[in-house]
Amino acid sequence: MLGSLNQCSVAPQAPKPINSMNYATLNRSISYNLLRRAFPIRAYCTVYSSKRNNLFSRISPVRRADLIIPVLDQWVVEGRKVTSLELQRIVRDLRSRKRFSQALQVSEWMSVSGLCPFKSGDCAVHLDLIGVVHGWEAAECYFNNLTDEQKNDKTYGALFNCYIREGLVEKSLAHFQKMKELGYAYCTLVYNNLMCLYRSTGQLERVSDVLSEMKENGVTPNNFSYRICINCCGERADFSGMEKLLEEMESQPFISVDWITYSMMANVYIKAKFKEKALAFLKKLEDKLHKDPIGYNHLISHYASLGNKEEMLRLWGVQKIVCKKQINRDYITMLGSLVKLGDLETAEAVLKEWESSNHTYDFRVPNVLLIGYCQNGLVDTAEIMLQDIIKKGKTPIPNSWAIIAAGYSNTHKMEKAFECLKEAIAVRAQNPGWRPKPHLVSSISKWLGDQQDTREQEAFLSSLKTVVTGNKDVHDTLGNTEASGIGEQNEIEEIVKL
């Protein structure tokens, strides 16, 4: 079935972004994988054969997509069985972890191995993964080569989702019309996807029209249907419309309004600075929490936005009792909320609590306090803290040093900023996806130029070539960098935003 992609022709086109792949590249990738099945890498797979007794435990640690198929081949060589349910579960798990390339490899192997039935639902998942990994053109090509029997509501829906993900309005609407003609459009998921299209393309007023059409066509809205409509009303500052939608939602016998909806309502009113309204919905949110730690994270973050430290601390205490165990995410939320309010003393106490809890050491947790110190001009304190962590045998991620480098840059201590950024580059292996902020690179490069230290400047820029721009010359990126830089305040907003 997947081999049908090789029949796709390609028209000349401009180069695609890195996260997309043209048909020719896709065909080469597929052919390469077929060769790998004929000549699998046995040595690599043998590492896992004696230590891991189920297929998922072998696949899970593999990070390179091109090494997934040899693992599957080795499993079969060992005489072990595979089932559709097991492979579907693995694909589902990899997708949930955003490991789409690896999920696509498992799905591809399942489709061509002949060891398991590949049903229409599997085709739909496969099509969606192709769209995520290789772009909508590849997904469309795969769809066009399916048999008439395989072109059903599931695969039509998957292609519809690919168009919507790319924001292709005309293609999405034409496809939606075709689905209506075939009787495939009359389900909640399809209408919800259409709402997402209008929201993502800024046509907020049309979202409520889709809800009306749903009801007219006898399609039952669900929680998500109402939430996206409520959110769009909030973005348009249509508070009356938002309240009416919530009332309608609460009156539906088939819908149980949970804390997420009340969190959304509170967030809209917090942004609009309607404090009393926001507090009323925060109370409803808390009543719906039960033992959901993510809900507590939202609630604490909302109270931070209102500047209410007392409620934050109360809820943090309640969460620790009700939810039993706190994970790194919970500490990041609490630390970010305290830093947002400028309460570094309490943040220090929370960080000590985290350090004594024997959690997996995640530098994103102490980084929150590093940002807080730098925001408050305590850059030296931030560096001392990081050095103390290093003395305890921890290797920081480059982000940690970059936070301090930015702090020194903002206080015009450029020599210190330069040294810290060099430290960040030295530990880049701890986070290969890290990129320094362009405005920081520009500031340091300018400072080196002002020092007339040409040799040091060239060495610095040379060390950044692969980090900042890949194959492009780093000099080309230093023209318009201030606009693309993100300061510490923006970073802390991202930390507490849920």
Side-chain angles (χ1 to χ4, degrees):
M1 184 186 307
L2 193 65
S4 61
L5 276 171
N6 291 312
Q7 301 170 19
C8 298
S9 59
V10 188
Q13 52 183 315
K16 287 186 171 295
I18 291 173
N19 64 350
S20 186
M21 179 179 286
N22 60 37
Y23 292 144
T25 306
L26 177 61
N27 291 340
R28 288 197 299 272
S29 173
I30 292 167
S31 299
Y32 174 69
N33 286 323
L34 290 172
L35 285 173
R36 292 192 72 88
R37 272 194 287 283
F39 305 101
I41 302 174
R42 304 301 181 196
Y44 176 86
C45 300
T46 304
V47 173
Y48 293 97
S49 62
S50 61
K51 297 181 180 180
R52 303 182 185 274
N53 295 320
N54 65 73
L55 184 55
F56 177 74
S57 67
R58 291 196 191 181
I59 287 176
S60 183
V62 181
R63 290 295 184 256
R64 283 178 51 186
D66 62 337
L67 293 177
I68 293 290
I69 286 176
V71 173
L72 290 161
D73 287 339
Q74 178 67 19
W75 182 264
V76 175
V77 166
E78 293 172 10
R80 298 173 182 264
K81 293 183 178 180
V82 290
T83 65
S84 295
L85 285 177
E86 184 178 25
L87 292 173
Q88 289 163 353
R89 182 181 68 84
I90 291 171
V91 169
R92 185 166 57 249
D93 186 272
L94 292 172
R95 288 177 81 196
S96 71
R97 298 169 189 266
K98 301 187 185 303
R99 294 169 59 180
F100 300 111
S101 293
Q102 291 135 324
L104 179 57
Q105 290 292 301
V106 176
S107 180
E108 178 191 335
W109 187 88
M110 182 181 175
S111 72
V112 300
S113 68
L115 298 175
C116 300
F118 202 71
K119 300 180 180 178
S120 60
D122 300 311
C123 284
V125 171
H126 193 81
L127 190 155
D128 185 68
L129 287 169
I130 289 173
V132 173
V133 177
H134 300 307
W136 67 268
E137 298 102 325
E140 186 179 74
C141 183
Y142 176 80
F143 176 83
N144 289 337
N145 282 280
L146 293 174
T147 66
D148 290 340
E149 184 181 355
Q150 292 164 339
K151 291 181 180 178
N152 54 24
D153 59 327
K154 293 182 176 64
T155 48
Y156 264 92
L159 183 58
F160 186 49
N161 188 54
C162 290
Y163 290 149
I164 287 172
R165 186 165 49 232
E166 300 279 352
L168 305 172
V169 178
E170 290 185 9
K171 273 191 167 291
S172 297
L173 294 179
H175 193 73
F176 178 68
Q177 185 60 39
K178 180 67 174 177
M179 291 176 70
K180 288 176 76 172
E181 293 170 4
L182 295 170
Y184 296 157
Y186 301 103
C187 72
T188 306
L189 177 61
V190 172
Y191 277 100
N192 286 350
N193 280 341
L194 187 58
M195 289 185 192
C196 290
L197 173 70
Y198 286 134
R199 184 186 183 282
S200 65
T201 55
Q203 302 179 66
L204 303 181
E205 68 286 348
R206 301 199 65 177
V207 174
S208 294
D209 295 338
V210 176
L211 181 65
S212 298
E213 183 180 334
M214 284 179 73
K215 292 184 285 189
E216 288 172 6
N217 290 330
V219 180
T220 304
N222 60 11
N223 266 324
F224 184 85
S225 311
Y226 281 105
R227 281 181 198 144
I228 192 168
C229 290
I230 288 171
N231 191 57
C232 288
C233 285
E235 289 187 41
R236 295 165 54 205
D238 180 6
F239 305 118
S240 174
M242 190 171 67
E243 296 267 6
K244 286 179 181 177
L245 282 167
L246 179 62
E247 289 176 10
E248 180 182 323
M249 185 180 181
E250 291 175 324
S251 69
Q252 300 296 337
F254 52 85
I255 288 181
S256 175
V257 183
D258 59 16
W259 66 262
I260 299 173
T261 304
Y262 293 126
S263 179
M264 184 182 296
M265 296 288 292
N267 188 53
V268 170
Y269 282 123
I270 288 169
K271 289 181 177 179
K273 303 194 182 304
F274 293 162
K275 184 176 179 180
E276 294 305 316
K277 278 279 191 182
L279 289 171
F281 283 108
L282 290 179
K283 175 60 179 171
K284 289 188 174 185
L285 191 168
E286 186 174 354
D287 290 342
K288 291 282 187 177
L289 279 184
H290 306 301
K291 297 182 179 181
D292 191 329
I294 298 179
Y296 278 99
N297 284 192
H298 276 250
L299 195 51
I300 289 169
S301 181
H302 287 320
Y303 276 114
S305 297
L306 291 171
N308 193 328
K309 186 176 72 174
E310 291 73 18
E311 280 298 289
M312 284 166 44
L313 294 173
R314 178 185 70 81
L315 289 162
W316 178 240
V318 172
Q319 180 182 354
K320 287 192 285 187
I321 294 170
V322 173
C323 301
K324 305 297 182 184
K325 181 180 179 181
Q326 282 64 58
I327 62 175
N328 291 337
R329 178 202 61 218
D330 304 321
Y331 282 98
I332 288 172
T333 299
M334 189 61 190
L335 284 167
S337 297
L338 289 166
V339 166
K340 190 174 185 178
L341 298 187
D343 187 355
L344 301 183
E345 184 178 348
T346 305
E348 288 168 354
V350 171
L351 184 63
K352 286 181 180 178
E353 176 187 315
W354 171 76
E355 289 175 331
S356 65
S357 63
N358 296 319
H359 282 73
T360 301
Y361 206 93
D362 184 344
F363 264 93
R364 291 177 301 174
V365 181
N367 277 1
V368 180
L369 188 52
L370 293 180
I371 291 172
Y373 284 139
C374 292
Q375 284 180 344
N376 288 274
L378 303 172
V379 191
D380 290 326
T381 304
E383 185 176 4
I384 291 169
M385 173 185 154
L386 183 56
Q387 293 285 9
D388 286 343
I389 294 173
I390 294 170
K391 288 175 184 177
K392 295 175 184 177
K394 308 295 183 184
T395 302
I397 56 177
N399 313 60
S400 305
W401 281 112
I403 289 166
I404 300 171
Y408 279 129
S409 176
N410 291 339
T411 55
H412 308 293
K413 296 181 179 179
M414 298 308 299
E415 185 173 358
K416 297 281 285 182
F418 179 43
E419 293 302 319
C420 288
L421 190 56
K422 286 198 294 186
E423 293 283 2
I425 294 168
V427 294
R428 182 178 173 243
Q430 299 298 316
N431 181 7
W434 170 77
R435 300 289 184 273
K437 297 292 187 291
H439 76 288
L440 177 60
V441 174
S442 178
S443 298
I444 292 175
S445 178
K446 182 178 183 301
W447 173 76
L448 287 170
D450 293 342
Q451 302 299 308
Q452 297 184 342
D453 194 339
T454 306
R455 180 179 299 178
E456 190 75 74
Q457 185 183 39
E458 287 300 318
F460 170 63
L461 294 177
S462 178
S463 71
L464 285 171
K465 282 184 179 179
T466 57
V467 176
V468 178
T469 58
N471 295 327
K472 290 182 63 180
D473 191 331
V474 71
H475 293 78
D476 296 338
T477 69
L478 300 180
N480 183 24
T481 54
E482 291 300 324
S484 58
I486 301 176
E488 292 89 343
Q489 182 60 41
N490 299 100
E491 291 195 27
I492 201 68
E493 292 294 338
E494 288 300 313
I495 287 170
V496 300
K497 184 173 69 176
L498 295 163

